[in-house]
Every structure is written in C-alpha cells, then in structure tokens.
Amino acid sequence: MRAVYPGTFDPFTPGHVNVVSRARELFDEVVVLVAVNSSKRPGTDEVRRTAAVRAVLPVEWTTVTVVAWNGLTSTYCRRHDVDVIVRGVRNTTDFRYEYQLAAMNQSLGVPTVFLPAQPELAGVSSTAVRTLGR
C-alpha cells in the first residue's frame, strides 16, 4: 500500500520527520509530496524545499521518496496509484482543518489517515521554526 504525505514543509520539522517515520511502519511506500501552493508564500522554492527534505531523511529509508507537486493531492494520488493520504495533527485546531480536507479528498476517492503528534513535538510548527530562525 502506497501513501503520500503532502505539505509545504517550510521548513521540514522534527515533527514532519516523525510522521514520515511512523508512516513507514504502516505503508509499503511513502511519498513526501512537497506542495507548490501559490496561496502560501514559502521562504524558498520547491526545488530547495524538496532537497532540504531529502537531506534530513535517513538514506536507509529506501521506501520514502520526495517529490514536488503543483496541483491537488488527490490528483497526484490517482495519477501515481497512491492509496492513502497521511496527515499529522498536533491539536484540535489542526484536526478541524485537516478533517475538512480529508472529507474533500474522500469525496474524490482518496482516504486520509491521521497520525497524532508525539507529545514532545506537538508544540513545534513550521511557522514557529521560521520565526525562531530569523
């Protein structure tokens, strides 16, 4: 079974790494899908973000690939025979937002699996990492 883990990943945080690590245990293959989303304004382009994600993931994680994608996640899933979307959730606010996306993706034929954040990582967001990094 193949899974996709989509996100802007600006930057890719320890929480993101944890979600990929846990998804590897559940699925045969995991694709980290670096979103090209014009409504968000990432600090770097998708080529740099994709390379940054690859650089953080252990090379022995051979069942994990990283690609950039401009379009709906459900479209990627259909075109590349991906069975499920994986999303990490840190809190109830994340869950409410993610639930709406999951309902839309389910209506398009792609289910979503939620992985709750590990307690020690729940407070870390890409926004916080960007802010602290300045």
Side-chain angles (χ1 to χ4, degrees):
M1 184 171 245
R2 299 180 74 214
V4 68
Y5 178 38
T8 306
F9 305 124
D10 182 37
F12 199 66
T13 68
H16 295 134
V17 174
N18 181 264
V19 170
V20 174
S21 177
R22 292 163 55 209
R24 288 177 57 246
E25 296 173 10
L26 299 171
F27 303 102
D28 300 314
E29 182 183 346
V30 177
V31 178
V32 178
L33 197 65
V34 179
V36 180
N37 184 341
S38 61
S39 68
K40 291 191 175 185
R41 299 179 124 167
T44 60
D45 66 26
E46 66 273 8
V47 173
R48 287 190 180 109
R49 286 182 287 128
T50 300
V53 172
R54 281 192 187 109
V56 170
L57 297 176
V59 293
E60 60 270 13
W61 288 7
T62 57
T63 60
V64 178
T65 56
V66 184
V67 299
W69 176 254
N70 184 2
L72 294 175
T73 301
S74 60
T75 302
Y76 181 91
C77 293
R78 285 192 305 276
R79 288 185 185 169
H80 296 91
D81 297 318
V82 173
D83 305 291
V84 67
I85 297 169
V86 172
R87 296 298 295 162
V89 291
R90 293 170 295 154
N91 52 43
T92 56
T93 302
D94 278 359
F95 182 75
R96 282 188 207 108
Y97 172 75
E98 294 295 342
Y99 186 82
Q100 291 174 346
L101 290 179
M104 179 192 68
N105 286 317
Q106 181 68 48
S107 74
L108 296 170
V110 186
T112 300
V113 171
F114 296 114
L115 295 178
Q118 297 295 314
E120 65 275 13
L121 298 172
V124 179
S125 70
S126 291
T127 302
V129 171
R130 274 194 316 275
T131 302
L132 292 173
R134 289 185 183 151

